[in-house]
């Protein structure tokens, strides 16, 4: 490879704003950057003395550089963000998160529904948020359900109810699907929950107190008691869910910490003076990166992401401030419908909020370091136990899940030296076998996973099979058919007679040599973790597949029966079980169902 001629390149580089892409000898983008002056910025890489190891390592790998001129530095910032997202260069700070903010949606129906919403706001209704994660939304919905008896079921479930569900029985829904509440009373609760989610909790309590006193004066003591209970529950929700009393109307607080190669950015979202929630992010940080680059890289990638459009706060608090932030601030203001300020607080309550975010970021890094230390110790113990000279680079584990043979799903989870690699997890829907035949399911999953394997980097060093000798023999038979060039070491994990953790028997290799490890052994703890993760992943996949199948009505498969006729049949007959028991004559009594169509339904059931 010829050496990159930096002098000739710099002679033809303009002193204009733009973006540059650095490539290695394999034509792979290794770094993307922006500059107010391309000539001045790129010249800094090729000085005789480069004081940063990261820059020196980067320059040694440059084969050529491409530049794109932009109209302004702000435009260059946005283009840089898009290119980093596209190429994910190894020397850039990369944020591994592309999800949009989740919201709570109060739908625009006769009986509105409370639900989590993510993505474009196409559904009609009121949106509350944004929240930092789906988990914080779900926790809020659970707390709200205990306080406001608003339905959270899906529209299809609501439309097809003929009697109240369990949520009504335990007092967490007022039962609008079965007319257990008047439209007026339901609307009152809807108005209250909208006020509460808008940050007007005190006004909600005042209204409820008024309703309670009014009911008491009219000697409606049961009604007054229900209002009293609702007030008490509402006050508990305020205490548990939000920190109130701040002046942060639409403010994001960005805490940051970086130690031993691990960076954590802790984001706290305040809306209407209340903390909606917080979340820690762990961006990928190249070695020897300056700390200000990490924080600026995160903030620009996070807020310039398309998923945040229309959701930007008015204020972002950060731990330090320089002129680089002004460019990002201008870009965010142009995207938002309001002024966005990025600054470091110097006094008052906002300093306390930033310290709280920084403390959370430090705690997150400490937890990650402890987790990494434990993972490294367990991996080293497993390597010693298996007597391997080469380091264990990748491990995979398979498990099978079904309910009496129904909707079988096989899982494949992947672990590397850093722990679970969830982006590489896979599920296989198993079809074409006898229900309950775990051996055939395992064989099919292995053949589908490794049948077209071409990249050795994706082949595991260790392959764990959740099962005993039968499962292991099936696995070896499947691998023999595939004739893999680099077959992994196969280890069976057989549960003990009592199926208690710590009593597992490990079956090593083709000889299926049985080995028992002591309960306290770190190697066993790692194997249990991998096995349990594959079990969890398989069960989740199976339940989702099974529940989806059970929600599917056989009526949907009959020509001539659309959504309205299906709903009419179910309401008239009183449910799917009554339809299954009905004769053709009984079905013909349903409005809109002819004798011919009724006979077709009965014939399909008999099939």
């Amino acid at each position: 490879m010829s050496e990159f001629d930096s002098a000739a390149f710099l002679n033809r580089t303009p002193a204009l704003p733009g973006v540059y892409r650095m490539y290695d000898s394999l034509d792979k983008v290794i770094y993307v950057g922006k500059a107010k002056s391309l000539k001045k910025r790129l010249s800094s890489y090729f000085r005789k003395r480069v004081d940063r190891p990261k820059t020196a390592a980067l320059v040694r790998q440059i084969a050529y550089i491409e530049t794109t001129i932009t109209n302004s530095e702000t435009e260059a910032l946005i283009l840089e963000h898009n290119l980093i997202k596209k190429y994910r260069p190894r020397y850039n700070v990369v944020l591994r998160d592309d999800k949009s903010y989740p919201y709570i949606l109060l739908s625009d129906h006769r009986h509105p529904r409370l639900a989590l919403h993510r993505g474009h706001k196409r559904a009609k209704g009121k949106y509350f948020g944004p929240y930092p994660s789906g988990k914080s939304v779900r926790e809020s919905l659970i707390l709200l359900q205990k306080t406001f008896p608003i339905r959270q079921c899906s529209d299809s479930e609501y439309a097809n109810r003929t009697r109240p569900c369990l949520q009504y029985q335990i007092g967490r829904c007022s039962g609008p699907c079965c007319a257990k509440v008047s439209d007026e009373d339901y609307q009152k609760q809807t108005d209250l929950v909208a006020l509460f989610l808008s940050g007007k909790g005190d006004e909600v309590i005042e209204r409820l107190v008024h309703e309670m006193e009014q009911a008491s004066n009219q000697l409606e003591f049961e009604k007054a008691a229900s209002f009293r209970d609702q007030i008490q529950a509402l006050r508990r929700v305020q205490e548990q869910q939000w920190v109130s009393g701040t002046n942060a109307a639409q403010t994001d607080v960005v805490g940051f910490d970086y130690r031993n190669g691990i960076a954590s950015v802790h984001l706290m979202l305040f809306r209407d003076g209340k903390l909606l929630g917080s979340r820690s992010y762990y961006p990928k940080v190249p070695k020897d990166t300056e700390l200000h680059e990490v924080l600026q890289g995160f903030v620009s990638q996070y807020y310039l992401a398309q998923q945040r459009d229309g959701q930007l706060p008015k204020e972002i608090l950060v731990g330090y401030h320089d002129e680089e932030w002004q460019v990002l601030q201008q870009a965010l203001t142009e995207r938002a419908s309001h002024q966005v300020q990025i600054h470091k607080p110097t006094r008052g309550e906002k300093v306390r909020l930033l310290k709280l975010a920084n403390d959370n970021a430090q705690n997150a890094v400490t937890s990650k370091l402890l987790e990494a230390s434990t993972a490294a110790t367990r991996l080293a113990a497993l390597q010693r136990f298996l007597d391997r000279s080469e380091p264990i680079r990748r491990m995979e584990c398979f498990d099978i899940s079904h309910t009496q043979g129904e909707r079988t799903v096989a899982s494949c989870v992947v672990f590397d030296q850093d722990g679970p690699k969830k982006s590489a997890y896979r599920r296989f829907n198993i079809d074409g076998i006898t229900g309950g035949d775990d051996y055939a399911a395992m064989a099919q999953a292995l053949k589908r996973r490794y049948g077209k394997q071409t990249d050795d980097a994706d082949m595991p060093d260790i392959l764990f099979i959740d099962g005993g000798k039968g499962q292991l023999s099936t696995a070896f038979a499947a691998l023999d058919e595939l004739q893999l060039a680099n077959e992994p070491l196969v280890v069976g994990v057989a549960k003990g007679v009592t199926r208690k953790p710590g009593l597992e028997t490990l079956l090593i290799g083709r000889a299926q040599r049985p080995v028992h490890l002591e309960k306290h052994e770190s190697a066993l703890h790692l194997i249990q973790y991998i096995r349990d993760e594959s079990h969890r992943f398989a069960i989740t996949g199976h339940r989702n597949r099974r529940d989806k199948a059970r929600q599917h009505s056989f009526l949907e498969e009959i020509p001539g029966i659309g959504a309205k006729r299906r709903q009419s049949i179910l309401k008239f007959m009183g449910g799917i079980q009554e339809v299954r028991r009905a004769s053709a004559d009984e079905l013909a009594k349903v409005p809109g169902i002819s004798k011919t169509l009724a006979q077709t339904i009965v014939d399909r059931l008999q099939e």
Side-chain angles (χ1 to χ4, degrees):
M1 181 188 76
S2 58
E3 187 176 347
F4 176 65
D5 189 347
S6 60
F9 170 76
L10 291 171
N11 282 336
R12 59 177 184 270
T13 301
L16 296 171
V19 173
Y20 54 92
R21 299 174 297 285
M22 296 178 172
Y23 293 80
D24 63 10
S25 57
L26 300 175
D27 296 326
K28 186 174 182 180
V29 178
I30 56 176
Y31 188 76
V32 173
K34 64 167 177 60
K36 189 174 183 180
S37 168
L38 286 169
K39 190 179 189 71
K40 185 176 180 181
R41 180 72 184 92
L42 287 167
S43 297
S44 66
Y45 286 96
F46 302 103
R47 292 178 298 195
K48 289 185 179 180
R49 287 189 177 183
V50 179
D51 54 355
R52 294 172 57 189
K54 175 193 170 184
T55 304
L58 172 63
V59 169
R60 286 195 295 270
Q61 297 186 51
I62 295 174
Y64 61 96
I65 301 175
E66 291 181 350
T67 60
T68 301
I69 298 172
T70 59
N71 292 316
S72 65
E73 192 177 1
T74 302
E75 191 177 307
L77 176 68
I78 295 172
L79 178 58
E80 177 197 36
H81 160 74
N82 293 332
L83 292 175
I84 291 174
K85 184 177 180 180
K86 178 180 179 180
Y87 295 113
R88 307 182 76 81
R90 60 175 297 192
Y91 284 99
N92 281 99
V93 175
V94 178
L95 171 63
R96 291 169 286 190
D97 179 79
D98 57 357
K99 290 184 179 179
S100 59
Y101 281 127
Y103 282 76
I104 288 179
L105 168 63
L106 183 63
S107 67
D108 185 15
H109 291 108
R110 175 188 171 191
H111 297 130
R113 172 199 181 204
L114 273 176
L116 181 150
H117 178 88
R118 196 191 287 273
H120 294 292
K121 299 177 181 178
R122 295 191 180 97
K124 292 182 179 179
K126 297 178 181 178
Y127 292 86
F128 302 95
Y131 289 76
S133 67
K135 180 183 177 183
S136 59
V137 173
R138 285 186 286 272
E139 288 175 348
S140 296
L141 287 173
I142 289 170
L143 289 170
L144 290 170
Q145 195 174 40
K146 295 176 180 179
T147 311
F148 302 98
I150 304 294
R151 73 177 183 93
Q152 295 189 17
C153 60
S154 65
D155 291 339
S156 61
E157 185 179 356
Y158 163 77
N160 290 295
R161 294 297 306 183
T162 57
R163 56 183 180 179
C165 66
L166 179 62
Q167 294 299 327
Y168 172 79
Q169 304 294 340
I170 62 176
R172 294 190 179 181
C173 180
S174 51
C177 56
C178 302
K180 296 294 183 181
V181 60
S182 68
D183 289 355
E184 183 184 357
D185 287 342
Y186 192 86
Q187 188 59 48
K188 283 183 180 179
Q189 291 297 318
T190 302
D191 294 341
L192 290 175
V193 78
L195 276 174
F196 183 72
L197 288 170
S198 300
K200 299 176 181 177
D202 292 338
E203 184 178 338
V204 174
I205 291 177
E206 285 178 11
R207 287 195 184 188
L208 289 173
V209 168
H210 175 71
E211 293 280 355
M212 180 181 67
E213 290 174 348
Q214 197 172 36
S216 179
N217 292 334
Q218 295 173 0
L219 305 181
E220 296 176 338
F221 298 118
E222 289 187 8
K223 193 173 182 180
S226 69
F227 285 126
R228 179 204 60 200
D229 295 341
Q230 194 171 9
I231 293 167
Q232 291 175 350
L234 187 56
R235 283 182 172 144
R236 285 196 297 270
V237 168
Q238 285 184 310
E239 292 171 2
Q240 293 175 30
Q241 186 66 6
W242 291 294
V243 177
S244 56
T246 74
N247 294 318
Q250 291 190 43
T251 302
D252 287 2
V253 186
V254 183
F256 176 69
D257 189 39
Y258 179 79
R259 277 175 285 151
N260 296 359
I262 296 177
S264 171
V265 179
H266 191 80
L267 186 64
M268 302 175 69
L269 272 63
F270 289 87
R271 298 294 182 270
D272 298 314
K274 293 179 172 59
L275 174 63
L276 294 190
S278 62
R279 181 179 175 185
S280 290
Y281 294 84
Y282 303 94
K284 180 182 75 67
V285 181
K287 189 177 180 181
D288 298 318
T289 302
E290 294 285 333
L291 296 186
H292 71 273
E293 286 184 44
V294 180
L295 186 56
Q296 285 183 344
F298 169 87
V299 173
S300 63
Q301 290 180 54
Y302 184 85
Y303 288 103
L304 286 174
Q306 188 176 1
Q307 294 87 350
R308 320 283 180 220
D309 284 352
Q311 305 171 358
L312 297 174
K314 292 184 177 179
E315 181 181 42
I316 302 172
L317 304 184
V318 293
Y320 77 95
H321 194 267
D322 59 24
E323 62 181 14
E324 288 287 330
W325 291 113
Q326 298 299 324
V327 180
L328 177 59
Q329 181 174 291
Q330 183 179 347
L332 295 181
T333 298
E334 289 177 4
R335 281 204 166 194
S337 58
H338 53 261
Q339 177 72 32
V340 178
Q341 284 192 325
I342 304 175
H343 64 96
K344 177 184 177 181
T346 55
R347 63 181 182 274
E349 181 188 47
K350 292 179 181 179
V351 172
R352 179 181 62 82
L353 295 179
L354 183 61
K355 181 180 183 303
L356 181 62
N358 286 331
D359 290 345
N360 277 283
Q362 292 170 12
N363 184 60
V365 171
T366 300
S367 298
K368 277 284 183 183
L369 290 171
L370 290 173
E371 184 181 317
S373 174
T374 303
T377 301
R378 289 178 173 179
L379 190 62
L382 179 61
Q383 190 166 327
R384 289 193 300 271
F385 163 65
L386 296 175
D387 195 24
R388 291 179 61 89
S389 56
E390 294 293 324
I392 298 174
R393 180 183 48 83
R394 182 183 176 110
M395 298 170 286
E396 296 185 6
C397 182
F398 283 77
D399 190 22
I400 307 295
S401 180
H402 58 79
T403 301
Q404 297 180 344
E406 178 191 2
R407 307 292 171 179
T408 303
V409 170
S411 70
C412 171
V413 300
V414 180
F415 279 64
D416 58 17
Q417 294 174 334
D418 297 323
K421 189 177 181 180
K422 295 191 176 183
S423 61
Y425 283 17
R426 292 184 65 182
R427 288 194 185 105
F428 303 93
N429 292 334
I430 305 299
D431 295 306
I433 65 169
T434 303
D437 188 348
D438 288 0
Y439 297 155
M442 181 64 71
Q444 186 180 130
L446 290 170
K447 290 175 184 177
R448 288 168 63 183
R449 166 65 182 93
Y450 303 115
K452 297 180 181 179
Q453 183 66 47
T454 57
D455 189 356
D456 287 343
D458 289 338
M459 281 296 292
D461 301 311
I462 313 293
L463 173 58
F464 293 103
I465 302 294
D466 186 16
K469 290 187 176 181
Q471 288 278 33
L472 213 56
S473 298
T474 300
F476 283 124
L479 294 175
D480 287 341
E481 286 186 38
L482 296 173
Q483 295 183 344
L484 299 176
N486 298 313
E487 184 177 293
L489 173 64
V490 182
V491 178
V493 186
K495 300 180 180 69
V497 177
T498 60
R499 305 178 71 84
K500 288 184 178 180
L503 301 178
E504 293 88 349
T505 299
L506 304 180
L507 306 172
I508 312 296
R510 287 188 173 270
Q512 299 190 31
R513 175 172 58 90
V515 176
H516 292 275
L517 285 172
E518 294 296 327
K519 291 182 180 181
H520 64 273
E521 291 282 352
S522 295
L524 179 61
H525 294 164
L526 177 57
I527 293 171
Q528 289 171 335
Y529 180 25
I530 296 172
R531 186 270 318 278
D532 292 345
E533 181 69 356
S534 70
H535 190 54
R536 178 199 65 80
F537 196 56
I539 287 177
T540 304
H542 160 64
R543 287 176 177 168
N544 291 340
R545 190 184 183 202
R546 181 196 64 194
D547 293 346
K548 184 178 180 181
R550 290 180 177 178
Q551 289 171 4
H552 179 76
S553 171
F554 76 91
L555 293 173
E556 297 177 30
E557 302 171 359
I558 301 175
I561 298 183
K564 289 186 178 179
R565 279 185 174 173
R566 187 167 64 248
Q567 186 174 342
S568 178
I569 292 170
L570 292 171
K571 282 190 173 181
F572 187 89
M573 300 303 298
I576 194 68
Q577 296 302 325
E578 295 301 321
V579 176
R580 293 181 184 277
R581 286 193 286 265
S583 64
D585 290 338
E586 289 172 323
L587 289 170
K589 295 177 183 178
V590 179
I593 303 299
S594 65
K595 289 185 177 181
T596 304
L597 190 52
Q599 188 60 52
T600 302
I601 296 172
V602 173
D603 293 342
R604 182 60 64 91
L605 277 169
Q606 290 175 350
E607 292 174 9

